Amino acid sequence: TETALTAAPGDVALLPCYTAGNVTPNLTTWRKNGQEVITDGVSSPVGQQQRLVVLQDGSLNIRGVTPGDEGSYLCSSTLPGNITFRARGPENVSTSISPASTLSNRTLTVHRGTSVSFNCSAYSYPTQELTWSFRGATSSNQSLASSSSSWLDFRIDNTQPSNQGLYTCTANNTFTHQAVNKDTELLVYYVPDKHPDCMWAPAEDPSHILFSCSWFGAYPTPTLHWMEEWEERDDPAALGRGPVNVSEVTEILSVKLNRSQLSEGQKLRCTAQHPVLAPGKEKECSLTLKLPFPEGEPLVTAMDGTSVTLICSESTSIPPANTTWRKGLQQEEINPGSKYIVSDEGAVLKLTIVNITKDDEGVYFCRSENPLAVTELEVYLTVRTSSAYTGAIIGIFIAVLIMGSAAIIAKTVFSSRHRICLGNIHLQMEEDRGDVLSLVESDDEQIFQAAVPRLPPTTNGHQTTLVQIHRIPSSDHEDAETADTSPQQQEDTAQTEEPVDLVTF
Ligand SMILES: *[C@@H]1O[C@H](CO)[C@@H](O)[C@H](O)[C@H]1NC(C)=O
Ligand SMILES: *[C@@H]1O[C@H](CO)[C@@H](O)[C@H](O)[C@H]1NC(C)=O
Ligand SMILES: *[C@@H]1O[C@H](CO)[C@@H](O)[C@H](O)[C@H]1NC(C)=O
């Protein structure tokens, strides 16, 4: 029953508990505003000095009321005999953490970044307290939430690896102090954003190559899988499978291949499988093997005393080639120093030869090696000495001189074209010999003379003279032809085109 009681400071207040009869309770507990203040049984001695005392009939005696004693007082008594209040629980303690996956050992897993709800419920009589607590790698025993109702909820947004650990819901019957714990292990899985790295390295045994695939930063450890594949010729969508097929739960997986197992166009693929990655969303890296192919100018010319830079670029090779400059047909390695400066700018390998001499002339090789093959770019360096240069200038000068003379001669010949000067034949009139022409072959200075037959006089009294000129080529004199014998008008023009076999007046 509820009773209202008023007291002044210093008063003795008596709060009655069991008023239905004169039975002495076995156990009496008093709570003030829900908090237990005193429990007492009939057998316990009554403390003389205590301000609060539970009397034999269960009533609470407050000796000397003080400010702060105000409140709501509740009495629970266990009576002897049939009339007994039985405390119950905690019972039906159940927890749920979601969304999460359950492993075979009942451990739950969630993915990093997700939101997770924790729920706990239980039943106790007369009262209970529910508490969620956490024990992780960095926190020993942290209380996360508590409640005195029949259920307790809380939530973690954006779960992180630090949220991994043991979650315990404790249901405590606050009357009997009986407690029940329910533990759940929670793992937070995660993967790195990046793809695995496919790399290669020469193995100790030079006939083998080590291909390694690494993928760090995933929890739990991923399964890496190396396989070999190629596109089928007749169906590019279909992939053939090669003999390479290795898989292991590891962060780094190496596979050693004999060089004879490798070929151009072959594809080596590494796939990383992980519980966080859905099937078909695996991360991967691959290497499609390509022959090395160093490129550059094959012919280089330089002046002695200067420096020259030979350039070679290698951007084709997969895996990346080891590219070096070599000298001579023996392909001796070039040691960088004051004479040779080797610089590497990404795919471009430069060789600078300082203070060139004639000895530097010759063949150089840009040698590119990858596991598949060695490919060389051959560069021939020609060294020009300064005397050769002078010679070239003199040569050019002479050539210009010859061409200039030719032009002057041509111009002279053209301007004096009214004189009879055809090819290498000069015609001269010999006044004193009347109708006799001298034919002079300038090459061999031979003079031909020919008697010209006189034609009968014409009706108008003029004479017509027939001149026959036979060109006698120095090479073949028999080829001379006889001119047309018909009389023609005199012509002032001479044909200048060669070969001229005949001129007729
Ligand atoms: C349950 O299995 C996971 C994964 O195999 C392991 O990490 C964890 O420690 C196990 N938990 C218990 C309690 O055995
Ligand atoms: C590499 O492969 C070739 C051809 O399959 C074989 O003859 C050779 O013995 C192998 N080398 C090694 C070191 O296994
Ligand atoms: C270039 O080489 C010549 C001959 O080897 C040497 O005498 C000269 O000092 C060198 N010049 C430089 C700048 O190195």
Side-chain angles (χ1 to χ4, degrees):
T1 55
E2 279 185 31
T3 317
L5 197 78
T6 310
D11 286 356
V12 174
L14 187 68
L15 281 66
C17 179
Y18 185 66
T19 53
N22 52 1
V23 187
T24 307
N26 289 344
L27 181 78
T28 301
T29 300
W30 279 95
R31 283 191 178 74
K32 179 191 171 194
N33 298 330
Q35 290 281 320
E36 186 183 312
V37 286
I38 189 164
T39 300
D40 217 339
V42 283
S43 52
S44 55
V46 176
Q48 297 298 319
Q49 304 307 319
Q50 275 185 297
R51 202 167 63 84
L52 299 186
V53 181
V54 179
L55 303 182
Q56 262 194 343
D57 65 353
S59 22
L60 179 68
N61 190 3
I62 305 175
R63 295 181 191 149
V65 172
T66 60
D69 283 340
E70 309 88 336
S72 167
Y73 289 80
L74 180 75
C75 152
S76 324
S77 285
T78 308
L79 301 179
N82 291 336
I83 314 157
T84 305
F85 294 103
R86 275 193 202 283
R88 283 176 63 190
E91 54 198 38
N92 300 336
V93 181
S94 87
T95 57
S96 94
I97 297 177
S98 68
S101 311
T102 312
L103 299 178
S104 55
N105 62 9
R106 305 181 61 85
T107 295
L108 299 184
T109 67
V110 296
H111 297 175
R112 177 173 61 191
T114 54
S115 285
V116 182
S117 293
F118 296 76
N119 183 280
C120 180
S121 64
Y123 174 78
S124 303
Y125 183 80
T127 54
Q128 71 177 6
E129 185 171 44
L130 295 177
T131 310
W132 270 113
S133 58
F134 170 70
R135 203 166 73 230
T138 52
S139 51
S140 54
N141 207 353
Q142 180 190 357
S143 176
L144 298 171
S146 65
S147 147
S148 54
S149 71
S150 61
W151 55 270
L152 173 62
D153 252 357
F154 84 98
R155 198 180 140 89
I156 298 177
D157 291 320
N158 188 13
T159 48
Q160 291 301 314
S162 59
N163 297 127
Q164 174 168 313
L166 193 69
Y167 287 83
T168 306
C169 177
T170 306
N172 181 24
N173 184 322
T174 45
F175 184 75
T176 61
H177 298 291
Q178 270 191 2
V180 173
N181 287 335
K182 191 135 197 233
D183 291 338
T184 310
E185 187 184 28
L186 183 75
L187 302 179
V188 180
Y189 283 180
Y190 52 90
V191 291
D193 288 335
K194 63 186 176 65
H195 290 266
D197 278 331
C198 284
M199 288 169 295
W200 75 284
E204 278 172 32
D205 158 14
S207 65
H208 284 75
I209 300 296
L210 214 56
F211 289 92
S212 77
C213 174
S214 59
W215 199 48
F216 300 106
Y219 176 81
T221 311
T223 301
L224 299 182
H225 188 183
W226 265 119
M227 64 195 132
E228 178 195 348
E229 57 189 36
W230 62 84
E231 290 179 355
E232 296 282 7
R233 288 247 168 74
D234 31 337
D235 180 10
L239 290 171
R241 285 282 153 85
V244 181
N245 193 357
V246 187
S247 112
E248 204 180 307
V249 176
T250 178
E251 289 196 315
I252 177 158
L253 178 64
S254 296
V255 53
K256 192 165 139 185
L257 298 185
N258 189 336
R259 273 183 201 246
S260 66
Q261 289 176 276
L262 305 177
S263 60
E264 161 100 5
Q266 184 180 20
K267 189 169 190 175
L268 292 169
R269 181 197 299 274
C270 170
T271 315
Q273 290 161 344
H274 193 274
V276 169
L277 304 172
K281 304 264 183 191
E282 292 93 353
K283 301 230 178 195
E284 61 174 47
C285 60
S286 65
L287 291 169
T288 301
L289 305 184
K290 290 210 179 106
L291 294 170
F293 191 66
E295 291 175 285
E297 285 291 324
L299 294 172
V300 176
T301 305
M303 287 288 302
D304 66 351
T306 64
S307 298
V308 71
T309 300
L310 309 183
I311 296 172
C312 174
S313 75
E314 169 60 79
S315 50
T316 313
S317 172
I318 298 175
N322 176 21
T323 306
T324 50
W325 277 102
R326 310 269 173 135
K327 188 186 176 193
L329 293 171
Q330 304 305 316
Q331 298 207 6
E332 292 155 28
E333 274 197 57
I334 287 176
N335 296 319
S338 56
K339 177 72 182 171
Y340 299 106
I341 300 161
V342 178
S343 63
D344 189 353
E345 292 164 18
V348 177
L349 186 71
K350 292 181 177 176
L351 170 68
T352 302
I353 308 170
V354 180
N355 192 10
I356 290 180
T357 65
K358 197 70 183 167
D359 290 344
D360 293 319
E361 185 164 277
V363 67
Y364 290 79
F365 291 93
C366 174
R367 184 181 189 276
S368 223
E369 177 174 10
N370 83 358
L372 294 180
V374 173
T375 314
E376 285 143 0
L377 164 72
E378 196 175 320
V379 178
Y380 195 86
L381 175 66
T382 306
V383 176
R384 286 254 163 83
T385 56
S386 18
S387 55
Y389 183 64
T390 314
I393 288 178
I394 291 169
I396 291 166
F397 178 75
I398 290 170
V400 167
L401 206 63
I402 291 167
M403 283 167 68
S405 319
I408 291 163
I409 289 165
K411 191 165 187 291
T412 313
V413 167
F414 184 73
S415 56
S416 51
R417 62 190 181 279
H418 54 280
R419 291 185 208 155
I420 303 161
C421 177
L422 304 168
N424 51 6
I425 300 168
H426 295 267
L427 286 176
Q428 288 176 324
M429 280 298 195
E430 291 188 5
E431 262 100 309
D432 56 339
R433 293 175 68 179
D435 294 323
V436 176
L437 283 169
S438 293
L439 201 65
V440 180
E441 178 80 50
S442 63
D443 282 354
D444 46 19
E445 297 295 321
Q446 280 179 288
I447 298 166
F448 298 89
Q449 292 188 348
V452 179
R454 189 169 295 272
L455 294 173
T458 53
T459 47
N460 60 6
H462 291 92
Q463 285 185 351
T464 305
T465 305
L466 177 68
V467 181
Q468 283 185 308
I469 302 166
H470 294 261
R471 181 172 182 255
I472 315 293
S474 52
S475 58
D476 191 2
H477 287 227
E478 280 108 78
D479 272 1
E481 287 175 23
T482 308
D484 192 338
T485 50
S486 64
Q488 286 186 359
Q489 293 294 106
Q490 186 177 349
E491 285 179 7
D492 189 34
T493 56
Q495 292 205 302
T496 54
E497 285 175 1
E498 283 217 75
V500 177
D501 294 324
L502 173 67
V503 175
T504 314
F505 294 92

